Amino acid sequence: MQAEIGTTDFWMNAGEVKHSQRALDTEACSAGAQAVIPEGGRDLPVALRIKVEGSEMTEIETIVVRPGDYTASFAVDSDPAAIIAISDDIGWHDEVPEAERATREELTSWIDKYFRAFPSGVCNVTGACKRLENGGGNFSCRTGASCSAGDPGSNGTFIPRVILADEVRGIAIGLTMFDFMTDGHLDMHMIKMSGGEVHAVHAILRDTNGVSGWE
C-alpha cells in the first residue's frame, strides 16, 4: 500500500523503538533494518528499507507484522522479545575484523543463492547459526535445508528484488516475494557473516498474496 509518510495507522500509533539491527550499504545509497516497535501496548516485528538519491529519500519500504499477518501452514508465532534477546550474542552492530570480512560480492552472492536455490541454497552456516522468523522459531539454520554446489541459475525458486550489503558489519539483506507452498509473503532476510560463515539468519515476513507493491 502506498501512503504519505506518517499517515498509516502503524506510524500514527507507534511508540519508541525498542530495538533495531541495521545495515548501511554505501554503494547502493540504501539502509535496511529489522526492528521491534510497539503499536499501542503490543510489540511488533518491523522491517524497513530506505533508498537515497541526490541526498533525498526516494524509496521507503515498511513491513509491519501484527498477529495474524503471517498465516502460512508452516508459520510460527511472532516473538519480538526473542529478536532483542539474541541480538547481543550475534553482535549485529559489531564491526567485523578486516581479516574476517566478507567482500560485497560474497555477501550479496550468499543472499542471491539462498533465495534462488531455496531450500538447497543454505550454505556456509555455522553449527550454532539460528534462524528466526518474525522472532519466532529459533530454528537451526540447517533445518530443512541443504547446500548445492555451484552458483544458482538466472531463475530459481525466489528472485531477489533488492539486495543490500554492509561489508564493515558483515550484514547482507535481501527482499523477495517468498511464495514457497503459499500465495506469497513479502519477505526481508538479514544475515550476519564473518570468517566465511553465516552466524545468524533473521526473516521478517507477512502475507501479501504475492504482491509487493514495488512491481
Side-chain angles (χ1 to χ4, degrees), residues 49-154:
R49 177 182 65 85
I50 295 174
K51 182 173 179 60
V52 174
E53 295 180 356
S55 300
E56 295 183 330
M57 290 186 290
T58 57
E59 294 181 1
I60 304 173
E61 179 171 2
T62 310
I63 307 171
V64 179
V65 187
R66 299 181 178 91
D69 282 345
Y70 180 39
T71 61
S73 61
F74 45 81
V76 294
D77 291 336
S78 295
D79 187 359
I83 297 174
I84 300 172
I86 200 173
S87 61
D88 286 343
D89 291 336
I90 298 168
W92 289 105
H93 295 148
D94 295 345
E95 295 187 3
V96 176
E98 289 193 27
E100 299 179 14
R101 285 181 190 172
T103 64
R104 179 181 183 84
E105 181 180 5
E106 288 170 332
L107 288 164
T108 57
S109 295
W110 195 96
I111 285 283
D112 187 62
K113 184 172 183 176
Y114 180 92
F115 284 142
R116 292 182 188 272
F118 185 87
S120 58
V122 185
C123 302
N124 306 111
V125 296
T126 68
C129 179
K130 296 294 184 181
R131 187 182 80 249
L132 302 184
E133 298 174 358
N134 299 325
N138 200 26
F139 304 104
S140 166
C141 292
R142 296 171 176 167
T143 299
S146 61
C147 178
S148 59
D151 295 329
S154 59

Side-chain angles (χ1 to χ4, degrees), residues 118-211:
F118 185 87
S120 58
V122 185
C123 302
N124 306 111
V125 296
T126 68
C129 179
K130 296 294 184 181
R131 187 182 80 249
L132 302 184
E133 298 174 358
N134 299 325
N138 200 26
F139 304 104
S140 166
C141 292
R142 296 171 176 167
T143 299
S146 61
C147 178
S148 59
D151 295 329
S154 59
N155 296 311
T157 304
F158 312 123
I159 309 303
R161 173 169 51 85
V162 176
I163 298 179
L164 306 177
D166 183 333
E167 298 100 314
V168 174
R169 293 170 182 80
I171 296 174
I173 289 175
L175 292 104
T176 193
M177 189 57 61
F178 189 93
D179 57 2
F180 180 70
M181 298 174 60
T182 72
D183 293 329
H185 306 284
L186 189 59
D187 172 11
M188 175 197 272
H189 266 64
M190 174 181 282
I191 70 162
K192 177 77 173 185
M193 176 184 280
S194 65
E197 294 184 302
V198 169
H199 299 264
V201 179
H202 286 192
I204 302 289
L205 64 172
R206 59 157 294 148
D207 300 0
T208 54
N209 295 319
V211 177

